[in-house]
């Protein structure tokens, strides 16, 4: 029960506390203490009517107690005048949703991009340090230092906890979109609540900035991807898009995604998210236009210079029947630590009947993968390759 509330409420609770206390560390400590108290009390008394409000109220009261005890925090004495609230009677509506303020604070340009993303994942997403480190492919100690430096920079530079004024919003938008999309991707790989949180934040951004095409494009991209999530796994293993049961797709989300994409395109959306959303929409068609998908990936690669985009273009080239060109492109990419490169290369080699090379590429991908469904998928591919070799040997 507590774990479910943590997933649902952590970002909202922490954002409210940071807005109230003005201190990331104190807010996080207070939130953790409130969750610990809840774990004990809720077992005895049952779940309160408004768990999020209960947690915020409890955390606020514990933080005020700590400030009262610690006179070195005298600069925060204004908080001592705040009347403690009753945990069991406070309504959730008493707390505004301050997650957007927290999002823009975490994505302030004074912070390095990697720190922006890491801090947002830690505060709004509630990911553990080791999970974020794995996403960044960096040591956990490095990521922990990055988080500490980011919080110190916010405190030392007096970065405000607010949504920027209108004239600053466009310049701040790209970093925010990147953070929201990374949260979505983390959720899409297995933590469904994070994907839902990213979509919610994307929808809030679309309301806040209705004339920004890339905002609507990102929302479209997330909706179109998330609509296929129920069909991505079967019996604990990942299912490729071509093999997915379309009856499991969320048609309402696809329709909403197409509406958001149309809005983005009407606003002359030609940015990276608009191009990715256009590709995602093509993937929902009954018959996929692979040459067109490869063409859009080419536009996206020219815009971003991303080797991961080039890897996806290689897949589209292969599906268009250009296996040799696809393999040449894959083998030109410097992504040795990226398991998708090796699994893609393995699939191309398998189709080209280079079985030994395919097996080695699958093994390399398996050594790099962390997610269990993807691990099972690669193990199944290796087993299929071994069976195929056995059958060919019998025929000979």
């Amino acid at each position: 029960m507590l774990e479910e509330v943590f997933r649902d409420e952590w970002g909202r609770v922490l954002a409210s506390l940071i807005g109230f206390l003005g201190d990331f560390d104190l807010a996080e400590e207070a939130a953790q203490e409130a969750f610990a108290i809840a774990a004990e009390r809720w077992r005895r008394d049952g779940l309160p009517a408004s768990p999020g409000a209960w947690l915020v109220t409890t955390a606020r009261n514990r933080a005020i107690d700590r400030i009262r005890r610690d006179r070195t925090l005298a600069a925060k004495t204004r908080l001592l005048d705040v009347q403690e609230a009753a945990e069991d009677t406070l309504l959730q509506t008493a707390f505004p949703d301050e997650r957007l303020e927290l999002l823009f604070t975490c994505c302030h340009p004074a912070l390095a991009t990697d720190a922006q993303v890491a801090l947002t994942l830690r505060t709004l997403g509630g990911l553990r340090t080791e999970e974020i480190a794995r996403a960044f492919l960096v040591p956990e100690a490095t990521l922990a230092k990055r988080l500490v430096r980011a919080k110190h920079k916010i405190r030392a530079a007096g970065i405000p906890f607010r949504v920027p004024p209108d004239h600053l919003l466009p310049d701040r938008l790209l970093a925010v979109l990147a953070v929201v999309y990374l949260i979505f991707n983390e959720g899409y790989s297995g933590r469904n609540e994070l994907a839902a949180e990213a979509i919610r934040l994307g929808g809030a951004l679309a309301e806040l900035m209705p004339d920004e095409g890339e905002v609507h494009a990102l929302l479209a991209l997330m909706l179109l991807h998330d609509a296929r999530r129920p069909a991505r796994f079967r019996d604990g293993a990942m299912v490729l898009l071509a093999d997915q049961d379309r009856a499991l797709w969320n048609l309402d989300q696809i329709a909403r995604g197409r509406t958001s994409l149309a809005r983005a395109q009407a606003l002359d959306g030609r940015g990276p998210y608009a191009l990715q959303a256009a590709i995602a929409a093509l993937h929902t068609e009954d018959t996929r236009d692979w040459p067109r998908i490869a063409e859009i990936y080419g536009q996206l690669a020219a815009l971003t210079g991303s080797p991961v985009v080039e890897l996806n273009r290689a897949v589209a080239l292969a599906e268009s029947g250009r296996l040799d060109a696809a393999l040449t492109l894959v083998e030109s990419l410097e992504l040795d630590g990226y398991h998708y490169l090796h699994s893609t290369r393995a699939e191309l080699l398998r189709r080209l009947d280079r079985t030994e090379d395919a097996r080695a590429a699958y093994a390399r991908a398996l050594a790099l993968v962390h997610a269990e469904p993807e691990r099972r998928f690669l193990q199944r591919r290796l087993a299929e390759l071994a069976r195929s070799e056995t059958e060919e040997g019998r025929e000979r």
Side-chain angles (χ1 to χ4, degrees):
M1 178 178 62
L2 182 62
E3 182 179 352
E4 183 178 349
V5 172
F6 176 86
R7 290 196 303 265
D8 293 341
E9 300 291 347
W10 175 261
R12 188 189 304 272
V13 169
L14 192 60
S16 178
L17 290 170
I18 292 172
F20 174 66
L21 298 167
D23 187 301
F24 275 75
D25 289 329
L26 182 59
E28 190 166 351
E29 290 170 7
Q32 290 171 345
E33 186 175 355
F35 275 96
I37 294 170
E40 178 181 351
R41 190 170 301 180
W42 293 357
R43 288 194 193 99
R44 184 186 69 229
D45 302 335
L47 194 70
S50 184
W54 190 99
L55 288 163
V56 171
T57 304
T58 301
R60 282 189 178 191
N61 291 341
R62 295 309 178 274
I64 291 171
D65 287 343
R66 180 172 300 181
I67 292 170
R68 285 191 172 119
R69 291 193 303 267
D70 191 348
R71 295 306 171 183
T72 64
L73 296 179
K76 296 186 175 69
T77 52
R78 63 179 182 81
L79 296 178
L80 303 184
D81 297 328
V82 177
Q83 183 178 2
E84 291 194 11
E87 295 163 358
D88 297 325
T89 60
L90 191 64
L91 296 176
Q92 189 166 359
T93 53
F95 295 115
D97 187 342
E98 296 176 305
R99 282 178 288 184
L100 277 178
E101 285 87 344
L102 180 55
L103 188 56
F104 276 101
T105 300
C106 292
C107 298
H108 194 278
L111 302 175
T113 301
D114 54 6
Q116 295 173 5
V117 175
L119 191 59
T120 303
L121 285 171
R122 182 72 189 93
T123 56
L124 275 159
L127 272 70
R128 299 188 304 275
T129 301
E130 59 268 26
E131 292 177 296
I132 306 171
R134 186 166 65 243
F136 282 143
L137 303 178
V138 299
E140 183 178 343
T142 300
L143 199 284
K145 291 178 182 177
R146 191 174 295 169
L147 288 167
V148 170
R149 286 196 299 267
K151 294 175 184 177
H152 176 76
K153 184 67 174 288
I154 289 173
R155 185 166 52 249
I159 292 173
F161 182 81
R162 67 176 185 182
V163 175
D166 290 346
H167 69 284
L168 294 178
L169 274 177
D171 291 338
R172 298 278 300 277
L173 182 60
L174 289 180
V176 170
L177 295 181
V179 167
V180 172
Y181 193 39
L182 187 60
I183 293 173
F184 175 80
N185 282 331
E186 181 68 25
Y188 194 59
S189 65
R191 298 189 63 179
N192 299 341
E193 72 282 357
L194 285 182
E197 174 69 9
I199 290 172
R200 197 208 70 81
L201 287 171
L205 280 170
E207 292 178 9
L208 179 67
M209 307 182 74
D211 297 326
E212 291 290 339
E214 280 290 82
V215 171
H216 295 281
L218 175 58
L219 181 58
L221 177 61
M222 294 188 295
L223 286 168
L224 290 166
H225 279 321
D226 195 62
R228 296 189 282 105
R229 179 168 44 81
R232 289 185 70 231
F233 303 100
R234 184 187 304 130
D235 298 327
M238 189 177 69
V239 180
L240 296 179
L241 195 151
D243 300 324
Q244 290 177 7
D245 181 357
R246 289 179 172 236
L248 298 176
W249 289 4
N250 188 323
L251 299 183
D252 178 63
Q253 273 192 272
I254 291 174
R256 290 166 53 204
R258 289 182 176 277
T259 298
S260 294
L261 176 58
R263 174 63 175 162
Q265 292 172 335
L267 291 167
D268 196 30
R270 300 178 183 177
Y273 293 111
L275 292 174
Q276 291 177 79
I279 293 169
L282 287 169
H283 278 306
T284 64
E285 299 286 349
D286 291 336
T287 301
R288 283 181 282 175
D289 186 345
W290 285 109
R292 176 59 178 156
I293 292 173
E295 178 186 350
I296 299 177
Y297 269 127
Q299 297 172 15
L300 185 61
L303 188 65
T304 65
S306 168
V308 175
V309 173
E310 290 283 31
L311 179 61
N312 283 285
R313 183 165 75 90
V315 172
L317 289 172
E319 295 298 331
S320 301
R322 301 174 59 188
L323 286 173
D324 289 323
L327 182 60
T328 298
L329 177 56
V330 168
E331 292 183 338
S332 72
L333 301 175
E334 296 182 1
L335 289 170
D336 186 61
Y338 190 52
H339 72 273
Y340 284 121
L341 178 130
H342 297 286
S343 61
T344 300
R345 181 171 177 268
E347 178 64 17
L348 296 174
L349 291 166
R350 184 189 67 80
R351 294 189 192 183
L352 290 167
D353 294 325
R354 292 172 55 181
T355 305
E356 287 295 327
D357 292 334
R359 183 189 298 106
Y362 275 130
R364 174 62 176 153
L366 193 58
L368 293 169
V369 74
H370 292 288
E372 187 59 30
E374 294 180 2
R375 177 179 298 278
R376 292 176 183 172
F377 170 79
L378 293 170
Q379 289 170 337
R380 190 177 71 232
R381 277 290 200 250
L382 274 170
E384 290 171 353
L385 203 61
R387 283 196 299 271
S388 178
E389 283 185 289
T390 300
E391 292 171 0
E392 290 177 3
R394 288 172 181 169
E395 290 176 1
R396 289 196 296 268

